[in-house]
Amino acid sequence: FDLTDGSSSGHPGDNDGDMDTDMDTTTTTDTVPEVVYTNPLHIADSDSDSDSDLGSDQEDVGGHHHHHHDVADDHRGSAVTLFNMGLVHATNGSLEKAAQLFNMAKSVVKPTAEPALTACVLNNLARVRYQSHDPTEAIRILTRALHLEQAAFADLDTADLDTTTDKNNKKRRQQVVSIEATIVDTLSLMSRLHFAHGDPAKSVELGRETLRIRRSLLGDDHLSVHCTLYNIGLALQRVGDAEESLRHC
């Protein structure tokens, strides 16, 4: 395991940072763990497919012009900006400043309104805490992120959406894949942290769930699937199940 796994791009098929390459747990308290943070986010109108554009002037039946403006989009834009600033500090080693900015980004938006964005912020905050030698707090943060992601996925799965057009069907598929990608990133990183800090059995459990979702998204022959199998095998070896470990590796 190394902490390059779990980078969330929203596109699980082209996530070059999401490679399980080597489960190396030689980290000591004198060494800063290596992590790869996610890519910066783009500020985008979440309803960009709608007929009206954000910020456009609209005329009512009386001929009066009204400027359409969504406060929620302002909050999202602020959160994304703070998040991207946090990434800059994190990648340059300013971990406390990064954590401060990630927490500010998290406080700007409601998790129920922006579960995927909140989870992305939490995932990177967990990486900061791990680099700061606080794996327990990192796992706690990731557990919260996972709950948000799973709730968002459940809501989307049961939502009464209009799927009568190809456009709506495509949008819904994209939302499902995006949330599944964040879920698998969180599970994978949690698996790594549990392995690195003495709980290989939990690592195996989380790794198998990661494998299940990755196979459903990517198929059996994708490199990320094979890397996940390999890491499960290493965790099984640590548990003491050599025979099962060889089957995975």
Side-chain angles (χ1 to χ4, degrees):
F1 273 139
D2 73 58
L3 265 288
T4 57
D5 188 41
S7 300
S8 178
S9 68
H11 302 282
D14 59 8
N15 190 350
D16 293 335
D18 193 35
M19 296 302 168
D20 305 314
T21 53
D22 182 21
M23 195 186 294
D24 181 6
T25 58
T26 57
T27 300
T28 69
T29 56
D30 298 323
T31 304
V32 177
E34 300 239 351
V35 285
V36 174
Y37 293 90
T38 61
N39 294 324
L41 297 176
H42 298 288
I43 300 173
D45 179 10
S46 58
D47 295 320
S48 58
D49 291 333
S50 62
D51 293 333
S52 60
D53 294 328
L54 181 66
S56 63
D57 288 330
Q58 297 181 346
E59 184 175 282
D60 62 17
V61 291
H64 299 98
H65 287 271
H66 296 281
H67 188 69
H68 174 70
H69 191 74
D70 193 335
V71 175
D73 286 319
D74 269 354
H75 288 171
R76 187 182 193 283
S78 297
V80 169
T81 300
L82 289 165
F83 171 76
N84 289 339
M85 291 170 64
L87 285 181
V88 172
H89 285 281
T91 54
N92 283 285
S94 302
L95 301 181
E96 285 307 311
K97 184 64 176 178
Q100 180 184 2
L101 288 161
F102 288 152
N103 278 313
M104 289 172 65
K106 179 167 59 73
S107 69
V108 170
V109 292
K110 293 182 178 179
T112 52
E114 293 281 357
L117 173 58
T118 304
C120 183
V121 174
L122 288 172
N123 278 335
N124 285 275
L125 180 58
R127 288 169 167 81
V128 167
R129 290 307 180 206
Y130 178 71
Q131 274 201 301
S132 302
H133 304 290
D134 192 353
T136 301
E137 177 65 6
I139 291 172
R140 187 192 69 79
I141 293 170
L142 287 171
T143 301
R144 185 182 172 204
L146 183 62
H147 290 161
L148 280 172
E149 293 156 358
Q150 290 173 331
F153 184 81
D155 287 345
L156 183 61
D157 195 44
T158 59
D160 184 17
L161 299 178
D162 178 13
T163 57
T164 57
T165 67
D166 289 340
K167 180 179 178 180
N168 287 332
N169 279 325
K170 181 179 179 182
K171 184 176 181 180
R172 183 164 183 166
R173 284 196 300 270
Q174 288 173 338
Q175 290 173 324
V176 169
V177 169
S178 177
I179 292 176
E180 281 190 312
T182 62
I183 289 173
V184 79
D185 289 346
T186 302
L187 286 168
S188 183
L189 185 54
M190 289 176 72
S191 177
R192 292 169 169 276
L193 287 172
H194 280 288
F195 179 89
H197 295 279
D199 193 352
K202 186 66 175 179
S203 177
V204 170
E205 176 189 334
L206 293 165
R208 283 175 169 158
E209 182 62 11
T210 301
L211 179 64
R212 182 189 67 79
I213 301 175
R214 277 189 171 153
R215 275 178 164 161
S216 72
L217 292 173
L218 305 172
D220 289 334
D221 295 328
H222 194 277
L223 180 58
S224 289
V225 172
H226 292 298
C227 290
T228 305
L229 280 166
Y230 175 74
N231 280 341
I232 294 171
L234 293 179
L236 285 165
Q237 183 182 40
R238 184 68 60 86
V239 170
D241 193 340
E243 183 177 347
E244 188 68 13
S245 174
L246 287 172
R247 288 180 56 197
H248 284 76
C249 293

